[in-house]
Amino acid sequence: MLLEKLKVLPEELEAVVIRFVGDSGDGMQLTGTQFSDTSAMFGNDIATFPNYPSEIRAPQGSLYGVSGFQVHIGSVEISTPGDDVDLLVAMNPAGLKTNLYAVKPGHTIIVDADSFTTKNLEKAQYKSNPLKDGSLNNYRVIEVPMSSLTKEALKDLDNLDNKSVTRSKNMFALGIVYWMYDRSPEHTIDFFNKKFKSNPLIIELNSRVLNAGYFYAETLELIPNSYTILPAKMEPGTYRIIGGNKATAWGFLAAAEKSGLELFLGSYPITPATDILHELVKHKHFGVKAFQAEDEIAGVTSAIGASFAGDLAITTTSGPGLALKSEALGLAMMVELPLVVVNVQRGGPSTGLPTKTEQSDLMQAMYGRNGESPVIVLAASTPSDCFNYAYQAAKLALEHMTPVVLLTDGYIANGSEPWKIKTVAEMPEIKNNKVTEVKENWHPYDRNEETLARNWAIPGTYGLEHRIGGLEKDKITGNVSHVPENHEFMTKIRAEKIKRVQNYIPELQTEFADSGDLLVVGWGGTYGSLHSAVKQLNSQGYKNIGFAHFQYINPLPKNTEAVLSKFKKVVVCELNNGQFVNILKMNTNITGLLQYNKIQGLPFGNLELVEKFKQLVN
């Protein structure tokens, strides 16, 4: 009898993948974020993947209106949001139908049984109820009448409309999952108290439903035993969960402080880049000037004006917006002013898949301007890495007096992971080319002998008056010049300036192997998936597979060809139809480059990569 009363200890798991899905109004992003934040407080390593519908408010219950949030937590290194799902929480039939493929056989599905009505089943194009027709027999299905139980938990609260009651059922689901994985609801309740401090009713409503879900799972022995994931072993330091867009914004804040310049953002809202604007608006106390322009062109041209006036100037956008900014980006390149353009890539062309991820803007970033218009192109690789490369983009723009295009993508911009907080003191020094003293025979296009960066004179400074504009410049005075030889000289020196950036960026490094049968090559936001797959193969005895990831695209690292030539086969993996592989072909003498491409609006999966790499080796 005593043993029966003792609580069964939770089963320890190394890692788990959980996906919350439902209508776009069901609060799946909040649910997933709260579970992620709580797990981070517990010390787990984490990677997340929010997945939104493309329409602002898709028809309720429709297949294309499903919103999802996937989180991978573990006591080991977590590099991706995971492939196969261990637990699927589906708030409606459409969520179940569109996500069932990802659940491992024998694993758990929790559904809101109240939502499986005839009307909702029809919207999800089910011919019969999957909860009754045996189609889910290979899974462990837990049917919970969440809508009914949520209403029951709130029945004695006055002044509640039916919509508010129904919308809080996501907290019931979260409470169940907290109990399953041995998490406390307290962190989320603290979140409610802070976010809704001016509305005690909302705090009470959500807290009560969250606890109701937690105790429902416990008292009804919904799950035979709960699970726990121990804290991960991580480098000592202070960590926080950070998303890619927020990390990008903070990287620019750090660069502004380090360089001693004020930060100016000229931007027009566009999915999935808008959160950078939202974040920087919050930091006026750091001297940030954030301007929401009337369109993409005004956004970039205002940033060029701010750069001319001496600010660290940036503009943010996604693919369609980068197309609109192309003429002004050419202007910034022509007048040789520092500017950072952030392109958070999404599925294209045109409006395309605005809430999905892709790497198809690379050629646009490289060549999408008229004339000979080389600029520096960088690519961040993980959500937290967006901080480092926003900082590096600002550093290179200021030190080399040229625009920099920083590529991220929807996957890492919306995803999140633990980030070890840095101080500005630890960040590399940022120099600039500002002229602070009037010198005899000064000219605006006098150049640094090593970098070829021109002078940066602030308008209004006596003795440093000069002309600027989009017409070709005289190589010394900066005055308008139509001399043919001068145009050729300026064209070549601007290109040489970008090429010399190779002297200021790190050489390419490989992981797992320096030479061998196969080198896996990636760039940008595919890092986590590729790294995880090669690491898995390495642990299985494939010691002859190496991995090289590019974050400096233009110019490429000096040793690119030397690294690639040490492997018998090189496969370039991209979320496009093969853009970076063509850049490598143009810039190296490596022949026989292989490709592995995916253009589905989704990141690479670990299993598909492992299978592909084994085929290439074998």
Side-chain angles (χ1 to χ4, degrees), residues 532-544:
S532 179
V534 179
K535 181 181 178 181
Q536 181 177 330
L537 287 169
N538 187 264
S539 68
Q540 295 175 3
Y542 288 84
K543 304 296 184 183
N544 54 349

Side-chain angles (χ1 to χ4, degrees), residues 315-522:
T315 184
T316 56
T317 191
S318 191
L322 184 61
L324 290 167
K325 294 180 190 292
S326 62
E327 182 181 3
L329 183 54
L331 170 64
M333 187 282 309
M334 184 75 160
V335 299
E336 299 183 57
L337 282 172
L339 172 72
V340 180
V341 180
V342 181
N343 177 16
V344 186
Q345 299 169 96
R346 68 192 207 184
S350 186
T351 310
L353 302 173
T355 61
K356 311 301 180 184
T357 197
E358 208 163 274
Q359 291 184 301
S360 54
D361 294 345
L362 180 57
M363 287 299 187
Q364 183 184 17
M366 289 283 291
Y367 306 113
R369 295 165 294 283
N370 68 299
E372 298 285 344
S373 306
V375 299
I376 298 171
V377 180
L378 307 181
S381 59
T382 68
S384 64
D385 188 53
C386 289
F387 176 91
N388 299 326
Y389 278 86
Y391 186 95
Q392 184 69 355
K395 175 178 168 67
L396 291 175
L398 292 169
E399 293 182 349
H400 297 269
M401 290 295 288
T402 188
V404 175
V405 176
L406 172 62
L407 298 173
T408 70
D409 58 56
Y411 171 46
I412 60 174
N414 292 322
S416 59
E417 65 181 356
W419 173 62
K420 184 181 177 183
I421 297 174
K422 298 184 177 183
T423 64
V424 174
E426 343 176 19
M427 303 301 291
E429 180 185 8
I430 297 179
K431 303 175 183 178
N432 63 58
N433 293 276
K434 276 190 178 180
V435 182
T436 56
E437 297 179 2
V438 179
K439 297 181 180 179
E440 189 176 353
N441 296 321
W442 174 84
H443 299 104
Y445 281 82
D446 292 338
R447 298 182 182 275
N448 179 293
E449 292 183 1
E450 294 182 0
T451 64
L452 297 181
R454 77 167 182 91
N455 288 316
W456 190 11
I458 305 307
T461 306
Y462 178 77
L464 300 180
E465 298 88 352
H466 62 286
R467 297 183 65 182
I468 200 166
L471 292 171
E472 183 61 277
K473 311 288 178 292
D474 179 83
K475 63 183 179 182
I476 299 297
T477 66
N479 294 330
V480 174
S481 172
H482 292 161
V483 176
E485 292 79 9
N486 178 78
H487 175 56
E488 184 168 338
F489 175 86
M490 291 296 280
T491 298
K492 289 182 176 179
I493 204 166
R494 287 189 291 259
E496 176 63 22
K497 181 174 68 169
I498 301 302
K499 181 174 174 53
R500 289 194 185 185
V501 173
Q502 284 186 324
N503 298 326
Y504 301 89
I505 62 175
E507 291 194 337
L508 182 65
Q509 303 291 324
T510 59
E511 298 183 60
F512 307 108
D514 295 326
S515 61
D517 292 336
L518 178 66
L519 178 66
V520 174
V521 170

Side-chain angles (χ1 to χ4, degrees), residues 2 11 26 33 118 141 220 234 266 288 311 313 324 342 350 352 372 378 441 454 508 526 560 565 589 616:
L2 179 62
E11 178 186 346
D26 282 340
T33 299
T118 301
V141 180
L220 295 188
M234 305 174 77
V288 176
D311 281 358
L324 290 167
V342 181
S350 186
E372 298 285 344
L378 307 181
N441 296 321
R454 77 167 182 91
L508 182 65
T526 58
T560 296
S565 64
N589 293 314
L616 292 174

Side-chain angles (χ1 to χ4, degrees), residues 234-280:
M234 305 174 77
E235 183 182 343
T238 303
Y239 287 80
R240 62 158 294 149
I241 287 289
I242 196 166
N245 277 337
K246 179 174 283 190
T248 300
W250 287 12
F252 289 126
L253 289 171
E257 183 174 342
K258 192 73 171 184
S259 63
L261 302 176
E262 291 190 341
L263 179 63
F264 178 90
L265 167 66
S267 187
Y268 180 75
I270 184 171
T271 302
T274 309
D275 283 342
I276 302 174
L277 170 63
H278 291 167
E279 182 61 27
L280 286 176

Side-chain angles (χ1 to χ4, degrees), residues 77-96:
E77 180 190 29
I78 301 297
S79 300
T80 75
D83 279 1
D84 291 341
V85 173
D86 297 294
L87 170 65
L88 175 67
V89 179
M91 305 301 286
N92 63 5
L96 175 64

